[in-house]
Amino acid sequence: MTETGVWLIGARGNVATTAITGARAMARGETDTTGLVTGRAPYSKLALPDIEGFVFGGHDVRERSLLETARGLSENGVPKPDVVEEVADDLRAIDDRIETGTAINCGTAVDDLADRESLEDRLAVGEVVDQIRDDYESFGRGHDLDRLVVVNVASTEPPLEDPDRYDTREAVERAIENDDRELPASALYAYAALVDGHPYVNFTPSTGSALGGLEELARERAVPHTGRDAKTGETLVKSALAPMFAGRNLRVKAWEGHNILGNGDGKVLEDDRNKAGKIASKGDVLSSLLPDIGHNRVRIDYTPSLDDWKTAWDYIHFEGFLNTEMKMQFTWEGSDSALAAPLVLDLVRLLAHADEHDESGLQPQLASFFKAPLGVEEHNLSRQFAMLDEYVERHTTEVMSE
Amino acid sequence: MTETGVWLIGARGNVATTAITGARAMARGETDTTGLVTGRAPYSKLALPDIEGFVFGGHDVRERSLLETARGLSENGVPKPDVVEEVADDLRAIDDRIETGTAINCGTAVDDLADRESLEDRLAVGEVVDQIRDDYESFGRGHDLDRLVVVNVASTEPPLEDPDRYDTREAVERAIENDDRELPASALYAYAALVDGHPYVNFTPSTGSALGGLEELARERAVPHTGRDAKTGETLVKSALAPMFAGRNLRVKAWEGHNILGNGDGKVLEDDRNKAGKIASKGDVLSSLLPDIGHNRVRIDYTPSLDDWKTAWDYIHFEGFLNTEMKMQFTWEGSDSALAAPLVLDLVRLLAHADEHDESGLQPQLASFFKAPLGVEEHNLSRQFAMLDEYVERHTTEVMSE
Amino acid sequence: MTETGVWLIGARGNVATTAITGARAMARGETDTTGLVTGRAPYSKLALPDIEGFVFGGHDVRERSLLETARGLSENGVPKPDVVEEVADDLRAIDDRIETGTAINCGTAVDDLADRESLEDRLAVGEVVDQIRDDYESFGRGHDLDRLVVVNVASTEPPLEDPDRYDTREAVERAIENDDRELPASALYAYAALVDGHPYVNFTPSTGSALGGLEELARERAVPHTGRDAKTGETLVKSALAPMFAGRNLRVKAWEGHNILGNGDGKVLEDDRNKAGKIASKGDVLSSLLPDIGHNRVRIDYTPSLDDWKTAWDYIHFEGFLNTEMKMQFTWEGSDSALAAPLVLDLVRLLAHADEHDESGLQPQLASFFKAPLGVEEHNLSRQFAMLDEYVERHTTEVMSE
Amino acid sequence: MTETGVWLIGARGNVATTAITGARAMARGETDTTGLVTGRAPYSKLALPDIEGFVFGGHDVRERSLLETARGLSENGVPKPDVVEEVADDLRAIDDRIETGTAINCGTAVDDLADRESLEDRLAVGEVVDQIRDDYESFGRGHDLDRLVVVNVASTEPPLEDPDRYDTREAVERAIENDDRELPASALYAYAALVDGHPYVNFTPSTGSALGGLEELARERAVPHTGRDAKTGETLVKSALAPMFAGRNLRVKAWEGHNILGNGDGKVLEDDRNKAGKIASKGDVLSSLLPDIGHNRVRIDYTPSLDDWKTAWDYIHFEGFLNTEMKMQFTWEGSDSALAAPLVLDLVRLLAHADEHDESGLQPQLASFFKAPLGVEEHNLSRQFAMLDEYVERHTTEVMSE
Ligand SMILES: NC(=O)c1ccc[n+]([C@@H]2O[C@H](COP(=O)([O-])OP(=O)(O)OC[C@H]3O[C@@H](n4cnc5c(N)ncnc54)[C@H](O)[C@@H]3O)[C@@H](O)[C@H]2O)c1
Ligand SMILES: NC(=O)c1ccc[n+]([C@@H]2O[C@H](COP(=O)([O-])OP(=O)(O)OC[C@H]3O[C@@H](n4cnc5c(N)ncnc54)[C@H](O)[C@@H]3O)[C@@H](O)[C@H]2O)c1
Ligand SMILES: NC(=O)c1ccc[n+]([C@@H]2O[C@H](COP(=O)([O-])OP(=O)(O)OC[C@H]3O[C@@H](n4cnc5c(N)ncnc54)[C@H](O)[C@@H]3O)[C@@H](O)[C@H]2O)c1
Ligand SMILES: NC(=O)c1ccc[n+]([C@@H]2O[C@H](COP(=O)([O-])OP(=O)(O)OC[C@H]3O[C@@H](n4cnc5c(N)ncnc54)[C@H](O)[C@@H]3O)[C@@H](O)[C@H]2O)c1
Ligand code: NA
Ligand code: NA
């Protein structure tokens, strides 16, 4: 079995910490595969790298240690306190492999939480990129990795304006060279990954690899990448439910989605600029699945006492036969990090698999994981799973016929 | 275009009345196809009989006229009072074509609401069947119909015990001949339809054509039939939502479904024996979609003030990564008849189509319509729709290649 | 029995139209006293003017007739279409008694809906007031009224900045004289009422009589007035529920209230300036009842398809013994106008009673009707009702001892 | 300060264990008074015995230790694991003071969980009572207590049929003497307490002191007693909310209450006989507060995965002005034991106070604590609190004037 490295941008955040804690708890037999998509049939039949063997590292801009984050989370019940203590040594070791990254164009909300001087404060953009590539490189070398998957789980950036200017690889590289200080951090991390052939996952609504120029680069380097904005709660439910209304020809007159959450993500999203990207990817799902929808709003509010828990209330006003008006409502109460963390591990496994099997560029079979799946129009959750089923079918048949 | 007759068992009930009112309102341009599955792409591309041309008749055991039922319903808002008045003459005319049927083994709850002497009170079972065949026959002849589709929308019967004794066509026919008074009414209506080649829909949880002997008969006569228990509300939502939990490998520890409804159906279901079949078909959906489910209960309660409206509250307790316990709840507030009626019309159209195209026996492509689709294991709503998509694909390609 | 006139500011709006329709439907025996606080014991024992005898008139700035508004509302089910037709002639007659008012400082949202040139467009503030007084006066004379109660049910105005400048009667009168164009319309209507001794109700969050100078005026003229912002839905529930948390020493960490509504009121409230006053009076209830509340937010969103219906979702996160975190949620689905209209009639009756019995100035016994009861700190609904009980007790004992 | 003993019947159950753990956690400064009614103004002004000084003992019929119960509960989050460990020694010490009690007429559900031979298995009823009196007596003596308050927190018994036969003290005492084996355990514990002057609290829906003969006894011995069935969740909310509907003259057409819970209490309540008493006391609240209610049902279902958590869903269908139908729904998600435990401590304090101040017999000022307050018709929560306010007022004035 090959050694797989996982490089987390935002490595000390809630999602990253929960993913690491969970992976180490699995390695120590403290928990099982519940919540892992790759833990269930038929995906469990694929030859995927073992989570127990993952080697973690990453970038962050905060000092707060992994263990502190994990203990903070456990006060809210996830992960449980005893699990955190079981893996405390692992967390300490991994913490030493977290480097300072760049927070360029991440907005003042991120600047406020950063307590390290971030790279762009002292380096030109080109130098920032070189430093990041070096960090990836030394980590890979230092741990004798066969493959390094880079995952963006950093705070959501404000949307990039006019992204078309970076539509070619050349435009991106010229910008980096010329110290163009409008490229956002997520795109720099993505560039640094793709240029050196590291598979890249954008778990967030930030730009990441979603620039024409980076897609071109990925194709040229034959490296797989995927994103964006993992679908973990309210939007997940929408993508399962909305097809029911469409299928039955019930006309949705209004779908109101109201999210309240309390963690660091919630705090950053309080800033309207950072929130913009999130709202967009959440809203698009419905307008795609229900083209005739009358009214479609998503709200995200910060409710400090909820900490890492998120509650969504959705209200669906719809019309049926004989102009009959009816209603459906749901509430969803989930631990944000417990929902997100296993998907990080799933995506690393599946992207490593794609890389191993020369599936490069965008990975449409991973659409079910994202609110705004790159390169895929399909938002129907069942159909998205069917795409992954087919991929697995194809790859397990191959294996058998080998 | 051919003339399609629709024979409704339970023709004066809420579902039947709303289906008839809706069909006539469509014919008069008073409403559109919202709520009709066959009204949306790609199904709207099939060459289906026009609803506007449907000729209605049926059996019932109550005197209350169609118009009275319609007006009663409209006090609850569905259909709207002005729509009922627009079609009042049509309802009066159709009322004259409703014959007295049989209520044998329908339970005391049905006996209580029957105010006509039903057929079995004065006839042997064989004679009952002959009378029903005659009723179908004279209706078809009288209206010069090319095809008659029989639909069971009568009150739910108590489940038949030991149905295996009717596993062959021969066993059924011998029972009828020998005046076996344990066959339920729904099976007699179904037998009478199939033996004369009339397509048959069982919209209810009652036995209907779900006997080995009747399936054999249908195959022999090459007539299509389908059922059972139309999926209109809470169970529909379950079949859309449960796959999401399965897909994400989230373990459902408990799914409590609590339904309150107020109409005649609710009243009959207050009787525990009549309720038994309903509970079973509602419960099976989850145990099929979530084989590891911990606890799965469905309650149906009668709340008189709700009249024809049904509210379901579902509470889903599930476990995710790192043994994290989370919750989802939903409420569904629907007009029972407005949800059911268009499906009656859809099923008539699709069964007529199947009959026209020699698709006989069970019709798996119609699984999405039912809580307990005969002959189909699949309960995932999206996959059920995919089955209908394929059918349509097959039949529209045929048409084009003709 | 004396003749009571009811002068409605915003007479063609939903609340006004529903109040008038309901009063006339009662007069015609088409509906009962359900929803009327004064229709239940012990308040029904007070000698209050009969609703059936109310004579209606009012101001508005729109052309849309009462009958049109009523028919529009009835498409949403409240009032029922047949009731509207029963009282159509009454509505037509009342419509003729509606005069054009002033919309000064009501914000652009109101300007947009106004389709009459409003008074301030052509008159100085002093002349506007004179015109309003004339309108009240001629109406009273024309219908031979013993008493005229003026009720503000016009659209919500943006809050008045720096209201302290109108803290004395003198300041108000000087402002009117000097054509001070910053006084809002509601205050002008209130001044015109109080100065001529007409009891005044402010049903809205607008300024109305809540200026020091107008309170002084009311005391001097010995006229009763009351307000503000009628408590009809979510806030009503809050005032009943919050004392339960306080009573049991359960600490509310967050109370999120999310309101969606679709009528004209909702549209005007979409304008953040008009919304400000509403949010304030809604929010204050909790901070008064739960001084230690951790987080308290109210949202009001416009969802067009809901028309006159309002849904509120409230999420209450609280802490109990041993630092245990628990949750309560509720949804409230009400017809805004059906909830508000009877209170308009109640308040007219109770204010007429107060006037009759020389209870002048602010009327603390009416606190249960308002989100921000003038001159009363008490927000506990039960205690507010206890205040009305005492008033009734006092006045029925008087009657008996006479 | 005097020494107060607390004798818990059902001492190893969830409520008892949480009360003891909480009291000891308070003594050790691990938690505060949140959730304690006596912890808030104005009740905190009464001179009540300190919880920190309570001396605990009790009866049970199970072997499972207090510490085991506490650890089991803490797996569900309440109390927190570290709090349990802090008080583990206290729990062990208290465990030694728990005696075997009687389970006579507690139903088979209780027999199933009992793993000790209970008193009535080997003793006549009179001897059982003597043993219980002895247990109280030795405990009081052994710990040099000034006062012993006996609290019934044992599993709910099936209702006693024909309780009128025990309407006099004499009838009760004759029954005990004659080994009448139909008296339920709860009444024996209560008799033993009252006859020796120990104040008695019935926290459960079981019979306890609610027999004519025991009330007579309490009056004769001048000892205070109170009950029954503590109001901790759904019913508490009902008693706060229902007065709002009554106050606004809104007619409740249906109130459906559906409770799911998962602990030992839930398991015992699965037995329809044990459930009967609970349903009755829950249902009565609404029929008292809303005499015109149309439909009123309470369901309690056992959902194992919820453990000590209870979720209630209530659906309220009501009618307002102009026959408008509207709806309110709520869900309540609470930790059963965290809600109940502080009330046990409150009631001990308040009953000790009553005893100290010669307030004997039934204690109407404690009505707010119970679903079926003995001797009180008032179910309006606010009015019940007003009764306690008055008591406190009376007693604090006394103190001051002394
Ligand atoms: N939790 C979910 O369900 C979920 C779902 C979809 C997407 N996401 C996204 O995942 C991301 C992480 O969420 P979280 O809850 O872990 O947030 P978090 O605030 O707990 O963690 C974010 C971490 O990123 C770090 N960071 C910020 N900008 C950085 C930068 N430029 N370079 C390196 N590190 C940086 C922060 O210091 C912090 O440690 C967010 O963008 C969120 O929107 C989360
Ligand atoms: N409404 C829905 O959403 C829905 C969904 C699935 C299934 N169903 C089923 O549809 C059926 C009809 O529901 P409904 O709401 O119209 O009920 P309903 O009570 O309004 O109507 C039933 C009618 O059937 C008649 N009837 C009863 N037994 C009969 C018999 N043996 N022969 C002839 N007539 C008979 C009754 O007199 C009545 O007129 C029920 O079985 C119900 O379970 C309804
Ligand atoms: N419906 C409720 O439950 C409720 C509760 C509390 C308060 N209110 C308040 O009652 C008011 C009326 O609500 P609605 O739903 O009837 O709104 P609406 O928009 O239907 O009616 C408002 C009417 O006022 C008129 N108007 C606006 N400004 C005016 C002015 N300066 N002079 C004269 N007429 C004017 C408008 O033309 C319109 O006809 C709002 O302020 C609302 O906030 C309503
Ligand atoms: N938790 C709440 O919110 C709440 C509210 C109101 C009333 N109650 C009542 O409090 C009681 C206790 O609830 P719980 O959750 O602690 O239940 P539980 O099952 O955890 O505990 C009950 C205990 O009583 C013991 N027991 C049973 N019969 C006994 C007897 N005859 N003598 C001595 N011990 C006996 C059992 O062995 C068990 O240890 C129940 O009657 C319940 O209905 C609880
Ligand atoms: Na590659
Ligand atoms: Na005493």
Side-chain angles (χ1 to χ4, degrees), chain C residues 165-178 183 191 212-214 216-217 220:
Chain C
R165 54 185 150 156
Y166 305 114
D167 240 8
T168 61
R169 170 175 179 177
E170 211 224 306
V172 172
E173 298 196 330
R174 204 169 9 157
I176 292 174
E177 244 161 71
N178 297 348
L183 275 167
Y191 175 82
L214 294 183
E216 189 184 329
L217 174 65
E220 281 178 29

Side-chain angles (χ1 to χ4, degrees), chain B residues 8-18 20 57-70 73 91-92 94-100 115-116 153-154:
Chain B
L8 299 160
I9 319 292
R12 291 192 175 114
N14 288 350
V15 172
T17 304
T18 310
I20 295 170
H59 283 118
D60 208 304
V61 294
R62 277 201 303 191
E63 292 293 350
R64 195 183 199 216
S65 75
L66 266 177
L67 189 53
E68 281 171 281
T69 304
L73 283 166
L91 297 185
R92 277 189 206 98
I94 293 165
D95 219 41
D96 288 342
R97 306 176 205 142
I98 298 179
E99 308 295 336
T100 299
D115 46 19
R116 287 179 174 187
V153 282

Side-chain angles (χ1 to χ4, degrees), chain D residues 359-375:
Chain D
E359 302 267 5
S360 66
L362 293 173
Q363 303 293 317
Q365 78 279 5
L366 302 180
S368 73
F369 288 92
F370 296 105
K371 297 196 192 82
L374 292 174

Side-chain angles (χ1 to χ4, degrees), chain D residues 52-240:
Chain D
E52 290 77 357
F54 283 178
V55 183
F56 293 97
H59 282 120
D60 207 306
V61 295
R62 277 198 306 190
E63 293 291 351
R64 194 182 202 219
S65 75
L66 266 177
L67 188 53
E68 281 171 281
T69 304
R71 283 183 178 150
L73 283 166
S74 80
E75 272 169 40
N76 250 280
V78 183
K80 305 242 175 329
D82 51 338
V83 170
V84 172
E85 298 317 315
E86 286 286 340
V87 302
D89 286 342
D90 297 346
L91 296 184
R92 277 189 207 97
I94 294 166
D95 220 40
D96 288 341
R97 307 176 205 142
I98 299 178
E99 307 297 335
T100 299
T102 172
I104 193 164
N105 297 310
C106 293
T108 51
V110 168
D111 293 345
D112 287 355
L113 59 85
D115 45 19
R116 288 181 175 184
E117 180 187 58
S118 62
L119 296 177
E120 76 283 4
D121 292 346
R122 50 182 179 86
L123 301 175
V125 168
E127 295 167 315
V128 167
V129 169
D130 290 342
Q131 178 63 52
I132 298 171
R133 292 174 67 177
D134 267 12
D135 291 339
Y136 296 163
E137 165 72 11
S138 352
F139 180 66
R141 223 176 334 99
H143 294 87
D144 210 14
L145 302 175
D146 301 287
R147 178 173 288 109
L148 181 64
V149 181
V150 173
V151 187
N152 179 22
V153 283
S155 312
T156 302
E157 298 168 356
L160 170 64
E161 280 182 31
D162 200 3
D164 294 353
R165 56 185 147 153
Y166 305 115
D167 239 9
T168 61
R169 170 176 177 175
E170 209 224 307
V172 171
E173 297 195 331
R174 205 173 7 169
I176 292 174
E177 245 162 70
N178 297 347
D179 196 21
D180 168 349
R181 301 190 78 88
E182 300 202 1
L183 275 168
S186 65
L188 302 184
Y189 291 115
Y191 175 82
L194 298 173
V195 78
D196 289 329
H198 306 306
Y200 172 85
V201 178
N202 187 4
F203 206 79
T204 81
S206 305
T207 304
S209 64
L211 290 176
L214 294 183
E215 293 185 32
E216 190 183 327
L217 174 64
R219 276 195 312 275
E220 282 178 29
R221 298 282 152 144
V223 52
H225 65 122
T226 189
R228 62 179 174 172
D229 205 4
K231 189 160 78 175
T232 53
E234 192 211 23
T235 314
L236 176 69
V237 180
K238 281 176 169 169
S239 71

